[in-house]
Amino acid sequence: MKGKIRLCYRKIITIESMSTWERLVFTDSFTEFKMQAQYYNQAGKYNTFAQLLQNAPNANQLHFLVSGAIVGYVKQLNGIVPDVTNNLGLLFLTFDQFRFEIVNSDLKDIDKHVVAINFYSDELNYLAQIDQYLLTSKTNQNTENMGETLTDLFTISPYLSIYSIQQ
C-alpha cells in the first residue's frame, strides 16, 4: 500500500445536461439563485453572478444559500459519486462531503446558468498506478474474506482528481 487518498470529482451541470437528476438540480438551483440574488440586488442593477460578486458585499454567500435547493438531490445519490465508474462499468466511489458552486449565471437568461458540485470521496487505500489507471481498495473493508483485498481499477477521467494523499 502506497498511502491513503481522497478523490474529488467535479460535476458540472449546464443547460445541456441530460439526466433527470441533472435537470432538477439545474432548474431548482436557478430558481433559488434568482430568489436569493434579490437580497444582493435590491436596486436591480446587476444581471449576472459575476456582477453581483464584484459589486454586492457578501454575494459570495450565494454559493451556500443556493446549495440548500440541491441538498435533497445530493442525498438521493445515497453517498455514491455519480459518473465515476470502475473498469467493470460499476459506480463504486463513495463520498462523505460535497461543495456546491455557482460557476456562472444570469438572472435574465437560464441558458447561462452553470453550477458545479464537487464530491469528496471517502478515504481509499492507494495501491498502484498502471498507466492512466488507479488501483485502490476501500479503507474500511471487512477483513473476514480470508486475506483478500477487494479492489477497484479505474481511469483518472476529466474532472476527477486526487484531492489529498497521506503517506
Side-chain angles (χ1 to χ4, degrees):
M1 185 175 76
K2 294 185 177 185
K4 297 184 185 307
I5 61 172
R6 291 184 68 208
L7 303 175
C8 177
Y9 174 62
R10 181 175 173 86
K11 180 162 187 64
I12 297 175
I13 300 172
T14 70
I15 188 72
E16 296 175 1
S17 298
M18 300 302 285
S19 78
T20 301
W21 185 87
E22 292 168 333
R23 300 295 305 154
L24 291 168
V25 168
F26 180 81
T27 55
D28 285 3
S29 65
F30 182 70
T31 300
E32 187 70 16
F33 170 68
K34 284 176 55 176
M35 187 175 74
Q36 295 291 344
Q38 292 176 33
Y39 175 78
Y40 300 97
N41 193 25
Q42 292 177 8
K45 296 194 306 188
Y46 313 115
N47 291 329
T48 68
F49 179 60
Q51 290 170 334
L52 287 170
L53 287 176
Q54 281 184 325
N55 299 295
N58 300 317
N60 63 334
Q61 292 180 0
L62 283 165
H63 299 288
F64 171 74
L65 294 170
V66 174
S67 72
I70 62 97
V71 168
Y73 299 119
V74 172
K75 286 182 181 180
Q76 289 176 4
L77 298 173
N78 295 317
I80 305 293
V81 175
D83 307 331
V84 179
T85 59
N86 63 18
N87 276 20
L88 298 174
L90 302 173
L91 294 170
F92 73 99
L93 191 59
T94 57
F95 71 93
D96 59 0
Q97 296 175 319
F98 76 93
R99 184 175 53 89
F100 174 83
E101 175 184 345
I102 302 166
V103 176
N104 188 34
S105 200
D106 187 315
L107 294 165
K108 296 184 178 189
D109 188 356
I110 193 170
D111 289 356
K112 293 182 181 171
H113 188 65
V114 179
V115 297
I117 304 173
N118 297 299
F119 296 95
Y120 300 95
S121 77
D122 294 325
E123 192 173 74
L124 299 167
N125 293 318
Y126 171 55
L127 303 174
Q129 181 170 353
I130 307 160
D131 291 329
Q132 75 270 22
Y133 299 95
L134 278 185
L135 182 64
T136 63
S137 66
K138 301 222 184 311
T139 58
N140 58 357
Q141 252 186 65
N142 186 345
T143 56
E144 293 178 21
N145 50 5
M146 301 184 2
E148 289 182 336
T149 300
L150 301 177
T151 63
D152 283 295
L153 183 68
F154 58 97
T155 58
I156 295 289
S157 57
Y159 304 108
L160 180 65
S161 180
I162 294 176
Y163 174 69
S164 67
I165 188 164
Q166 180 183 11
Q167 299 294 331

